Amino acid sequence: MYMNRALRKEYLQAIGIESWVRRGAPVMAAIPPSPAPAESQREGGIDWPELESRVAHCERCPLHATRTRPVFGVGSRQAQWLIVGEAPGAEEDARGEPFVGRAGQLLNSMLRAVGLKREEVYIANVLKCRPPGNRDPAPLEAAECLPYLEQQIALLNPKIMLAVGRIAAQNLLRTESPLGRLRKQVHRFGRSQVPLIATYHPAYLLRTPADKRKAWEDLKFAREVCARV
Ligand code: SF4
């Protein structure tokens, strides 16, 4: 298939096989926002340290018994972008950080392609604790854990959410629609109606490289939506 040079460059960068970083181009969502107002650092009487402590000691669902440690989330607490995955895998459970390993590296590359460094976004999961054997989250587990993510969103006040993977998108949007139908549209999440874009999970993209191009389209779409907010 024909691909022009500029598009090819963008695409290669997105999939992390070229280290070229565009300089001088408009950096849309990468501009650090002005400091968040004080009230956004404390939502419903809970601030970041309190929320982190609650998650660290949480026993609200059976996953507390099998986790190594909860994976709270990582990144800038002034981020404009919030990336939400499904749940920690084995490596995340061991390290206490979401999206590490090869999938994490691919996510980082894709973020770089839209002008974002990993440390400029916030990354979290629907579930804070690893389901044994990486099975899908049970409905009760998701229901018990989602309030933590909602509190993180309230504290962050992001401009855009990127739901990565079918499970994350379906849980956040409370739907059973396939990912293919959830992509390419602007959903809204929660009380603050944050724009939400659904895309593929990087672990899936590592198994199905043919869909990397679609994920790249999703990221560019999210960048456009973020610039309009
Ligand atoms: S998955 Fe969520 S609700 Fe369940 S124990 Fe972990 S932090 Fe608590």
Side-chain angles (χ1 to χ4, degrees):
M1 183 182 63
Y2 173 76
M3 192 185 291
N4 73 36
R5 206 172 151 199
L7 181 59
R8 182 179 179 83
K9 206 166 191 177
E10 285 184 332
Y11 180 51
L12 291 175
Q13 180 190 8
I15 60 176
I17 58 174
E18 187 180 329
S19 60
W20 173 81
V21 175
R22 186 169 35 180
R23 293 182 192 279
V27 179
M28 301 166 90
I31 299 167
S34 51
E39 59 267 27
S40 74
Q41 297 299 312
R42 193 169 182 87
E43 169 65 25
I46 298 177
D47 58 12
W48 283 106
E50 170 69 16
L51 183 57
E52 198 159 5
S53 170
R54 288 190 190 186
V55 170
H57 300 101
C58 180
E59 297 186 355
R60 278 164 59 166
C61 88
L63 295 180
H64 80 271
T66 49
R67 72 188 177 209
T68 302
R69 55 181 59 82
V71 178
F72 180 72
V74 72
S76 168
R77 291 177 177 177
Q78 278 81 46
Q80 296 184 351
W81 284 57
L82 170 62
I83 317 297
V84 183
E86 167 187 341
E91 208 168 337
E92 286 84 7
D93 174 71
R95 288 173 51 179
E97 182 172 339
F99 285 96
V100 294
R102 287 181 65 220
Q105 284 167 14
L106 179 55
L107 177 68
N108 296 349
S109 297
M110 298 182 79
L111 291 171
R112 269 204 306 276
V114 284
L116 293 165
K117 294 179 187 157
R118 180 179 171 96
E119 56 271 24
E120 289 173 328
V121 305
Y122 197 85
I123 307 174
N125 284 309
V126 171
L127 286 191
K128 306 302 185 208
C129 303
R130 182 192 180 208
N134 292 349
R135 62 160 170 77
D136 290 351
L140 173 131
E141 294 158 359
E144 290 294 338
C145 210
L146 261 174
Y148 292 130
L149 180 66
E150 285 163 358
Q151 284 169 323
Q152 286 175 304
I153 292 167
L155 287 164
L156 266 177
N157 195 23
K159 284 178 77 173
I160 189 136
M161 288 173 66
L162 192 68
V164 292
R166 174 181 64 85
I167 300 293
Q170 289 179 338
N171 275 285
L172 292 171
L173 298 172
R174 299 177 197 276
T175 178
E176 294 186 354
S177 293
L179 185 60
R181 260 197 237 141
L182 299 174
R183 292 178 54 241
K184 300 191 206 168
Q185 45 180 312
V186 182
H187 305 274
R188 298 276 168 176
F189 181 84
R191 269 188 306 159
S192 50
Q193 294 286 284
V194 188
L196 184 153
I197 306 295
T199 190
Y200 297 99
H201 195 287
Y204 165 82
L205 294 172
L206 289 170
R207 297 191 302 271
T208 319
D211 280 345
K212 284 179 176 174
R213 187 186 177 85
K214 293 189 203 165
W216 172 226
E217 294 299 329
D218 295 337
L219 277 163
K220 286 194 293 185
F221 180 43
R223 182 175 62 182
E224 285 166 23
V225 172
C226 184
R228 292 202 302 261
V229 174

